[in-house]
Amino acid sequence: MSAYAQLCSTLEAAASPDTTIRRPADDQLKQWEEEPGFHSLLQDVSVDRNIDPRVRLLSTIYLKNGIDKFWRRARSTGKITTEEKAKIRQKLLSVLDEDNEKIAQQTSVIIAKIARTDYPNEWPSLLHELIEAIRTTYTTNATTLSARHAQVQFRALTTLYLVVKALCSSRLPAGKKMFQQVSPELLQYTGTIFTEQSDRFLAHAEALVNGQVVDLLPAEFNVQIAVISLKILRRVIVYGFATLHASPDALNVYGLLLNYLSKFVQLLNLVSKATYPKIYKCLTSAVMQIGKIYLDFQGRDVYGFVSAPGSTDALKYYWSHLEAGGTVGDKPTTEKFLVQGMILLRRVVKNKDLAEPPRSAATLDATSVSAVDVPSIRRLLQTELLTEAFVRKSCEVLVVRYLKWSDEELSNWENEPEEFVAEVDSDAWTFSVRPCAEKLFMDLMQTNRTLLQPFIMTVLQSISPSSDPNDLAALLMRDAIYCAVGLAASDLYDFVDFDVWFRTSLASEAFDTNPRSKLIRRRVAWLIGQWLPVKGTAAGRREVYPVVLHLLGDADLVVRLTTVVTLKDIIDDFDFEPADFLPYLDATIERFVGLMKDVEEFDSKVKVLNCLAVLVQRLEEAIKPFAARIVSLLPELWQDAEGQDMFRASIVNMMAGLTSSLKEDSMQLHEFVIPVIDYSVNTGNPAHVYLLEDGIELWLAVIRNATACTEPLLSLFPHALGLLEYGSEGLKKTLAVVEGYVILAPALVLQTYAPDIASRLAEMLGSLRPQASNSILRCLDVVLHCCYSQGLLDALLPTVLQTQIFEKLIRSIMEGTELGVILVGYITVLARVALYQPTSFWQVLQSIGAKWGMPTLPASFVSKWCELFDQMGHGKQRKLTALALANLVGTADPAVIARLDCILPILSSVILDLKDLDRDAQLIYTYEALSDAEDELCADAQRRATLTGHDPVQGIDNVALFVGQKLKEFEAAVGSAQFQQILSGIDGLVVRDLMQLLN
């Protein structure tokens, strides 16, 4: 059996619905996919029209997937050879007359995928071949097309669209340049096709609307071709020219778009969607595509957009529909159309590029209007569009028509309250009319404050003190006006006294129990969140809290959830005073507990949890009496949230805040918290992707506030070692966790895990950025300090030495492979060993020197150490170095004797620095700054303070006395005569200065 027949047989089996037949065939195809020639053979099957279409389609899909997988690979490792690629490319454009729609679509996708990598270097003729295919079929078309020519034209245009779309997403400069070179030709053909096919379709449509009998096939074909060519034009106009103004042809085509847009919009309201579904769908697509051309062009070059012919007219056209409130086809199409119009207006109402000349104007092309006439462009907008009358009218239309809730939104409020709140809070303003209108209104207010402030105040004052709750239209209007005042809170700062407004009006409206008044109750809750952080006084806040508490217990779920968001905002505000809120805390927690039981959606529960987390954080220790009630909610919530990892992340985050607030009392939470940490930081658990960051925060809070290292808490420690190896983004906090464990239970942790800790730290040294390296060195410093304080250094040093961590530090110092600041950190770690156990220090250096075949390593290392002294900026590092070197001098080791001339000036320098300083002034030589995340009142901070108290660097106040003692030990070890002889070989001034300081 030939390879071709074998492949056809296997593909036929792979298309079988029987899994026992399909699976072996799939395995065989997977095995073949790396064989040379396999993909070109797949293509042969794909283009063979004598084969079952199912097999051909499957072959085409396999070819597409193979191109995704293997086409981009380097030639040395690729499974598709250069020759095979050329063969595939050559045959792809020969099947533009393919009858099978699905196969044709997949083939077009294949061409686009290859074009993205191979154009222009490997396939420079692609665009010209597609244009030629279109040109040949199009010139054949006088009045009608043959079926084959129509098919080729449709396929070629579809393929060209996908190719152009792929090329526009390419970042390669060569591809962009080539695309811009061929864009004029693309513009010529696609522009002509669009206008001619649109005109033909409009002629058919006019007859159709007038009730004449029309052959639908030509009309459908014309509008389909027009839409595809319009999609190509969108990319060509926006991405095909460095500046559109450099191409008169492009400007001409662009200027025609508004005429066709108005005709298409008119037809959408006349053509029945049910009767002519294809035509209706294409008309909708055409309207959206023209809008996208305006949006894309405006987004890339707002100056060029404003000055291009037809742009200001297009903006006025969109605004006319917004002002009239008319429909554009069905409701979804109308909404998309209106949103497009609002976004276009937003970008000219408030645009930082229009507010001042562009910084890069000097570098723009000389033919670009953007580079030469920016002031006139801004004047054009002010005179042609953004006049005072337009701004006032647009503000009025937005408030009266578009800030009101729609019937659909009100229905959603009634039937799906939680979904309603989620949609309102989602900020999906690019998809919905009302949120987009809010954004446009805010932009108008911010850019036209002086003009619009009086108008908004007039509208607000026009509201009657009380309104009929049964008058829904009046309630909706009242709500819309309140919405406008809330959105413009910053702009109306000097016009609205919120405390007075709240006291005289809003507070009473919040207590209106009429069911329909829930619209206003919700808006009052929202207004509090908008205004209180902007213009809230301490007295006003105290008046607001009971109202907020009342709204938290409202009968309507939307009102309650909105109030939760508001409460979070006002608690998280800088001016929030916890003491003022304490009287309402008990009832608030009770409301939260009830609300958590009433809501079903996880989004709603997240809102409640987030608010609770902020409350816990801001009230700190005042939350302690309510901790048990809060924690009682969590196990069931955690269990119910199976698979909802984002919700579980909120629980973890809230628990971290509660743990920090409870301080030592947080031990009572461990029964629930420790399994949560285990679940969150276990890298073998797929959910760790979502929970790891919050899980480490919780773990760190637990460690810092724990009073004892219980067995369950210690059982988590291997996860910390695993995370160090994992190299997560939370490395600094993971190291802080390791530090916390070592300080919490030094003997227990170090006797078990010291070698593993040292091994992990050794692996990371030298491969990280300076900030991360500093965190590692700090952790290593803590480990050594705890070893010393617990008397474990002698026992653990040989084991730690086997991890090669000291060898790595010493090698980096000797070779100077790191930045100076990092090398100083390395020296500081080794200085600890020298200060704690000088004999062990020399043994480490001698052992490594023997391993390297470098017996002079100890003396060479001391020389390097002395050279780095001047790079030590922190007083603690300088003092530690002086103490460590003095300690080494006391050993009278030959390495010290050989470098005593370098050591003595360092000792003199530090003694002189500390001379005449009192104990407080010397703190800079012992103080270790806390990070922003460390709490001075937590148990960990107290343990660190105790540990620091045992640090010789802090304990030795009189460095001169310590140095003098070590010099005496040195003299005793070598003898007085030898001592004097050694000193005589050193610069007399150095020796004299030191002796004067010592005396």
Side-chain angles (χ1 to χ4, degrees):
M1 183 183 294
S2 66
Y4 182 81
Q6 192 175 359
L7 178 58
C8 289
S9 175
T10 306
L11 284 167
E12 188 171 355
S16 171
D18 189 341
T19 55
T20 59
I21 298 174
R22 187 176 67 250
R23 283 178 181 171
D26 287 339
D27 293 339
Q28 181 62 70
L29 289 168
K30 186 172 181 63
Q31 185 179 344
W32 282 340
E33 68 182 7
E34 298 191 5
E35 295 292 329
F38 172 70
H39 292 88
S40 60
L41 201 60
L42 281 173
Q43 188 182 36
D44 292 340
V45 176
S46 172
V47 301
D48 190 344
R49 303 186 188 187
N50 297 318
I51 296 177
D52 184 347
R54 292 184 308 116
V55 175
R56 292 180 60 210
L57 178 59
L58 187 59
S59 176
T60 310
I61 293 171
Y62 263 101
L63 175 60
K64 181 190 72 174
N65 294 339
I67 286 168
D68 267 340
K69 192 172 182 180
F70 298 112
W71 197 275
R72 287 174 177 266
R73 292 192 181 181
R75 294 179 182 180
S76 58
T77 60
K79 306 301 179 182
I80 306 178
T81 64
T82 304
E83 295 75 16
E84 188 177 4
K85 288 181 179 181
K87 183 180 178 182
I88 291 172
R89 284 193 298 262
Q90 185 179 7
K91 196 177 291 186
L92 280 171
L93 294 180
S94 66
V95 290
L96 291 176
D97 60 344
E98 173 61 54
D99 296 323
N100 188 293
E101 182 68 26
K102 291 183 178 179
I103 294 175
Q105 287 176 352
Q106 293 294 330
T107 303
S108 296
V109 171
I110 289 171
I111 294 171
K113 286 180 179 293
I114 294 175
R116 198 173 191 278
T117 57
D118 285 12
Y119 181 84
N121 295 333
E122 305 296 331
W123 204 356
S125 63
L126 171 61
L127 291 180
H128 290 291
E129 290 182 55
L130 287 171
I131 291 171
E132 182 62 22
I134 296 167
R135 186 189 63 79
T136 303
T137 56
Y138 199 74
T139 52
T140 308
N141 187 346
T143 55
T144 60
L145 279 172
S146 68
R148 182 182 177 280
H149 280 132
Q151 188 163 272
V152 170
Q153 186 180 127
F154 181 78
R155 303 279 189 247
L157 270 172
T158 302
T159 304
L160 180 62
Y161 161 63
L162 293 175
V163 168
V164 168
K165 184 178 179 182
L167 294 180
C168 289
S169 64
S170 175
R171 303 294 182 189
L172 298 176
K176 287 184 177 181
K177 183 177 179 181
M178 193 74 173
F179 179 62
Q180 289 184 355
Q181 288 175 355
V182 78
S183 286
E185 191 174 358
L186 282 172
L187 180 76
Q188 177 186 349
Y189 284 107
T190 53
T192 301
I193 292 171
F194 169 69
T195 54
E196 292 189 3
Q197 294 291 347
S198 295
D199 290 340
R200 288 177 186 152
F201 163 71
L202 290 170
H204 288 298
E206 184 179 356
L208 192 70
V209 171
N210 291 332
Q212 301 175 21
V213 178
V214 175
D215 185 358
L216 289 180
L217 287 178
E220 290 174 350
F221 176 79
N222 293 147
V223 73
Q224 280 182 314
I225 294 295
V227 169
I228 296 173
S229 59
L230 185 57
K231 289 180 178 181
I232 300 170
L233 274 177
R234 175 186 161 200
R235 268 77 184 184
V236 172
I237 288 174
V238 176
Y239 302 101
F241 301 91
T243 169
L244 202 65
H245 289 268
S247 171
D249 291 337
L251 284 177
N252 182 50
V253 173
Y254 176 80
L256 297 173
L257 294 176
L258 180 58
N259 178 48
Y260 287 104
L261 175 64
S262 62
K263 292 178 179 179
F264 292 152
V265 167
Q266 186 179 5
L267 275 174
L268 267 177
N269 292 323
L270 298 174
V271 172
S272 169
K273 181 178 180 179
T275 309
Y276 309 107
K278 284 187 178 180
I279 290 177
Y280 188 90
K281 181 180 178 181
C282 288
L283 278 172
T284 301
S285 179
V287 169
M288 293 297 104
Q289 286 298 320
I290 293 175
K292 288 177 180 179
I293 290 175
Y294 289 136
L295 287 169
D296 290 349
F297 181 25
Q298 188 187 51
R300 281 178 65 87
D301 181 11
V302 67
Y303 302 102
F305 169 79
V306 173
S307 60
S311 289
T312 52
D313 290 336
L315 291 171
K316 291 177 182 178
Y317 176 76
Y318 277 101
W319 175 250
S320 68
H321 279 272
L322 285 165
E323 187 176 11
T327 59
V328 180
D330 57 11
K331 188 170 183 179
T333 306
T334 299
E335 183 150 10
K336 290 177 183 177
F337 178 80
L338 295 178
V339 167
Q340 283 185 338
M342 288 182 183
I343 295 174
L344 285 168
L345 287 167
R346 278 202 71 197
R347 289 180 179 174
V348 295
V349 168
K350 185 181 180 183
N351 190 309
K352 59 182 176 59
D353 291 329
L354 289 172
E356 57 184 75
R359 296 176 183 176
S360 58
T363 63
L364 296 175
D365 190 280
T367 57
S368 170
V369 174
S370 308
V372 297
D373 209 7
V374 174
S376 68
I377 291 172
R378 294 203 294 272
R379 284 195 299 272
L380 175 67
L381 272 177
Q382 296 297 327
T383 56
E384 293 293 322
L385 182 68
L386 302 178
T387 62
E388 290 190 1
F390 173 84
V391 170
R392 284 198 198 94
K393 185 63 179 178
S394 57
C395 183
E396 179 185 349
V397 169
L398 289 171
V399 174
V400 172
R401 189 187 304 280
Y402 293 106
L403 294 188
K404 293 195 295 188
W405 300 108
S406 66
D407 292 341
E408 184 179 353
E409 287 172 320
L410 292 175
S411 175
N412 198 24
W413 183 331
E414 291 292 337
N415 300 319
E416 299 290 344
E418 293 182 62
E419 181 182 326
F420 171 85
V421 174
E423 288 181 1
V424 170
D425 292 343
S426 66
D427 195 31
W429 64 270
T430 56
F431 304 102
S432 301
V433 169
R434 189 189 48 76
C436 195
E438 289 181 353
K439 296 290 185 183
L440 178 56
F441 171 80
M442 291 168 68
D443 290 343
L444 284 167
M445 282 298 303
Q446 290 169 14
T447 53
N448 300 273
R449 278 187 190 142
T450 306
L451 181 64
L452 295 179
Q453 284 165 338
F455 167 75
I456 297 298
M457 292 307 300
T458 301
V459 173
L460 177 61
Q461 292 161 5
S462 69
I463 300 176
S464 60
S466 61
S467 56
D468 183 0
N470 296 314
D471 186 349
L472 181 59
L475 285 174
L476 288 172
M477 192 68 252
R478 190 184 197 91
D479 179 84
I481 294 170
Y482 281 0
C483 176
V485 175
L487 293 173
S490 298
D491 304 300
L492 298 175
Y493 184 90
D494 296 324
F495 287 76
V496 176
D497 187 331
F498 182 73
D499 288 353
V500 173
W501 185 29
F502 180 81
R503 192 179 306 116
T504 58
S505 177
L506 296 180
S508 60
E509 290 182 278
F511 284 91
D512 187 342
T513 57
N514 189 291
R516 282 203 168 187
S517 295
K518 64 185 180 182
L519 280 169
I520 305 304
R521 295 200 302 274
R522 179 210 167 270
R523 186 58 71 184
V524 169
W526 177 83
L527 275 169
I528 292 170
Q530 295 295 112
W531 270 96
L532 209 60
V534 172
K535 195 179 182 180
T537 63
R541 287 175 180 272
R542 288 191 289 271
E543 292 180 3
V544 160
Y545 293 148
V547 175
V548 169
L549 183 62
H550 169 75
L551 292 173
L552 274 176
D554 196 273
D556 185 83
L557 193 55
V558 170
V559 175
R560 294 164 72 189
L561 288 172
T562 303
T563 308
V564 166
V565 176
T566 288
L567 182 59
K568 175 179 175 290
D569 291 339
I570 61 179
I571 291 175
D572 206 20
D573 187 55
F574 179 79
D575 293 325
F576 174 74
E577 288 292 340
D580 292 339
F581 191 77
L582 285 178
Y584 310 99
L585 183 56
D586 191 6
T588 300
I589 299 293
E590 195 65 39
R591 297 278 197 275
F592 279 162
V593 172
L595 183 55
M596 192 67 80
K597 294 177 181 177
D598 291 343
V599 296
E600 298 176 355
E601 299 294 331
F602 284 112
D603 282 346
S604 303
K605 293 180 179 181
V606 166
K607 284 182 173 63
V608 180
L609 270 180
N610 288 344
C611 183
L612 195 53
V614 173
L615 190 64
V616 166
Q617 180 186 8
R618 294 305 304 268
L619 293 179
E620 297 178 335
E621 294 190 26
I623 203 72
K624 283 184 179 181
F626 310 96
R629 200 182 318 173
I630 294 171
V631 174
S632 67
L633 292 170
L634 301 180
E636 185 178 352
L637 285 175
W638 182 269
Q639 193 64 33
D640 292 344
E642 182 72 34
Q644 297 289 333
D645 294 316
M646 298 307 291
F647 176 60
R648 283 186 164 180
S650 297
I651 296 177
V652 174
N653 181 52
M654 201 275 291
M655 286 304 304
L658 187 59
T659 301
S660 297
S661 295
L662 292 179
K663 301 281 188 296
E664 290 87 346
D665 292 340
S666 64
M667 294 289 289
Q668 63 184 293
L669 308 179
H670 283 200
E671 183 179 356
F672 171 67
V673 165
I674 288 177
V676 169
I677 296 173
D678 182 60
Y679 181 86
S680 302
V681 303
N682 185 353
T683 55
N685 176 15
H688 86 276
V689 175
Y690 307 99
L691 299 173
L692 182 59
E693 184 177 351
D694 291 315
I696 294 175
E697 285 281 3
L698 173 58
W699 195 2
L700 191 54
V702 167
I703 286 293
R704 284 177 171 168
N705 292 282
T707 55
C709 187
T710 61
E711 186 175 341
L713 185 56
L714 183 62
S715 69
L716 294 174
F717 189 78
H719 287 315
L721 298 175
L723 289 174
L724 292 179
E725 187 176 2
Y726 184 66
S728 67
E729 292 183 2
L731 176 62
K732 185 176 180 180
K733 290 180 180 176
T734 305
L735 288 166
V737 168
V738 174
E739 281 184 44
Y741 268 102
V742 172
I743 294 172
L744 175 62
L748 183 62
V749 173
L750 291 174
Q751 287 174 346
T752 308
Y753 295 108
D756 294 324
I757 294 171
S759 179
R760 294 288 189 275
L761 298 181
E763 290 171 5
M764 291 186 291
L765 283 173
S767 60
L768 300 172
R769 294 179 178 178
Q771 188 175 2
S773 296
N774 285 333
S775 298
I776 294 172
L777 293 172
R778 168 175 161 157
C779 182
L780 190 53
D781 188 70
V782 167
V783 170
L784 288 172
H785 198 168
C786 289
C787 283
Y788 171 74
S789 66
Q790 296 293 312
L792 298 172
L793 197 59
D794 285 337
L796 293 178
L797 200 59
T799 306
V800 172
L801 188 59
Q802 293 176 5
T803 65
Q804 300 183 354
I805 187 167
F806 291 134
E807 182 177 354
K808 197 166 186 178
L809 292 172
I810 292 167
R811 183 180 295 279
S812 295
I813 292 167
M814 296 304 297
E815 297 178 356
T817 55
E818 297 281 355
L819 295 172
V821 65
I822 301 301
L823 294 179
V824 166
Y826 290 178
I827 285 286
T828 302
V829 170
L830 293 166
R832 282 272 178 208
V833 181
L835 180 59
Y836 296 154
Q837 295 287 356
T839 305
S840 298
F841 176 79
W842 291 127
Q843 289 173 354
V844 168
L845 282 174
Q846 290 162 4
S847 172
I848 294 172
K851 181 179 178 181
W852 291 357
M854 187 178 174
T856 61
L857 177 63
S860 300
F861 179 80
V862 173
S863 295
K864 200 71 178 178
W865 186 351
C866 294
E867 289 174 14
L868 288 169
F869 178 74
D870 287 338
Q871 297 188 41
M872 296 181 185
H874 197 293
K876 183 176 181 179
Q877 293 173 332
R878 295 170 65 85
K879 184 177 179 182
L880 175 59
T881 280
L883 294 175
L885 288 174
N887 214 27
L888 293 177
V889 167
T891 65
D893 189 275
V896 171
I897 297 173
R899 298 294 181 265
L900 202 59
D901 59 330
C902 303
I903 295 174
L904 295 186
I906 292 175
L907 301 181
S908 298
S909 176
V910 174
I911 294 172
L912 189 61
D913 288 343
L914 294 168
K915 186 181 179 182
D916 300 328
L917 294 182
D918 58 27
R919 187 173 181 84
D920 291 339
Q922 289 189 31
L923 282 177
I924 191 172
Y925 288 86
T926 59
Y927 176 70
E928 189 74 47
L930 293 175
S931 69
D932 292 339
E934 293 181 85
D935 183 358
E936 294 181 351
L937 301 178
C938 69
D940 180 77
Q942 296 167 16
R943 288 190 289 268
R944 286 178 186 271
T946 302
L947 185 65
T948 302
H950 293 114
D951 187 354
V953 179
Q954 178 165 327
I956 300 174
D957 294 330
N958 194 331
V959 176
L961 179 62
F962 180 82
V963 170
Q965 290 173 348
K966 295 304 171 181
L967 284 173
K968 288 179 182 178
E969 292 176 13
F970 176 46
E971 183 178 5
V974 300
S976 297
Q978 180 69 15
F979 178 70
Q980 292 300 327
Q981 185 179 350
I982 292 171
L983 291 183
S984 66
I986 301 173
D987 188 333
L989 288 175
V990 171
V991 175
R992 188 190 66 189
D993 289 345
L994 178 60
M995 293 307 171
Q996 287 178 350
L997 289 169
L998 294 179
N999 294 327

